[in-house]
Amino acid sequence: MTRVFSGVKPTGHLTLGNYLGAMRRWAAVDQHRADSLFCIVDLHALTVDHDPARVRRLSRQAATLLLASGLDPELCSVFVQSHVDEHTRLSYVLECVASDGEMRRMIQYKEKAVRERSRGGSVRLSLLTYPVLMAADILAYGADEVPVGDDQAQHVELTRDLAVRFNQRYGQTFVVPRATRPAVGARVMNLQEPASKMGKSEDVGPGIVYLLDEPDVVRRKVMRAVTDSGRGVEYDPQGRPGVANLLEILAACTGGDPVELGGGGAYGSYGELKRDTAEAVVEVLRPLRERHKELCADPAFVEGVLRDGAERARGLARPTVDAAYRAIGLLPAGTVVPTGAR
Ligand code: AQP
């Protein structure tokens, strides 16, 4: 059976981008057709300036939202990365096959390093190395597929490179995974800055729709989205990124095609397009918000799901990580080495 692994970072409140780019497919498709593991990758949240209490809060909230989005613990495993030691065990070994040049080429590192410096902070070493930890997250489970938004494609490519290199040097150990992306909604852009991704670790802004925003807040944000000075509605991501982003969001929420939605004069004005997009987003998020409220009233259930998920994850990851340790030359614990043996 195909194995799927993916995750979210508790670096901020989850956004419409996280939902349309990744989470929605996990619940609607992946958990039904594959052996699926979904992870709150909390160690990744420590790579930038953070408040420990907030990371704990956001981790709990992310777990609750994953379940609210439709992940069913009977069909998949949901767990917290730091509850399974195998991730960090494997990460160090993979650092021994990765190069510093590879790390410095990662786009997210470059962007986030600039942001950390502009906020007056220093750049943590873990920000440079976290793509290796992400590779460990994936390779530890022998995942075949990694369903992600476009912004994570480069990291999955690195994961593939590390898996192939390790296998060539030390013997077949890892499955080489591939990224899968949604046909629509793979890169939802900020409503106020349509050249930038809608990112959850940005400062709170009117261009970001959070999954737990009240319907009226969602409507206000969409109605105030930046478009351009053109008049007709058409799908042209380069020339008219704001309008293209709205069409993409509308298409992702209604199951349509952004090019078709923008063609044929279906929308005579930006106002109409914004109204339909706002309502489509409100409707897509409605069941999730309702289920989230129910789950918040039952924290013991969420805790139980995470406990069981971590236990299963440990059992799956351990043999692969042990095999990687042996392959790269580490002595298995408890091995008796005969005197004189080299
Ligand atoms: N805007 C987006 N459009 C489509 N997919 C997106 N994803 C994230 N943003 C968008 C996808 O959501 C999954 C989880 O993302 P993440 O938690 O790994 O990272 P992030 O949301 O990109 O958050 P960061 O890195 O902490 O900060 P920002 O957001 O400021 O860059 C992934 O599959 C991701 O592709």
Side-chain angles (χ1 to χ4, degrees), residues 9 11 17-18 21 112 148-149 151-152 186 188 197-201:
K9 282 193 264 294
T11 40
N18 296 127
K112 287 183 182 165
V148 284
D151 60 323
Q152 292 297 337
V188 176
K197 189 189 79 165
M198 186 184 282
K200 71 170 125 57
S201 63

Side-chain angles (χ1 to χ4, degrees), residues 6-11 14-15 17-18 20-22 26 41 108 112 115 130 147-152 185-189 197-202:
S6 202
V8 291
K9 282 193 264 294
T11 40
L14 296 181
T15 71
N18 296 127
L20 297 180
W26 302 348
V41 284
Q108 291 225 358
K112 287 183 182 165
R115 191 172 68 197
Y130 95 87
V148 284
D150 270 357
D151 60 323
Q152 292 297 337
R187 182 178 286 266
V188 176
M189 309 307 275
K197 189 189 79 165
M198 186 184 282
K200 71 170 125 57
S201 63
E202 297 299 324

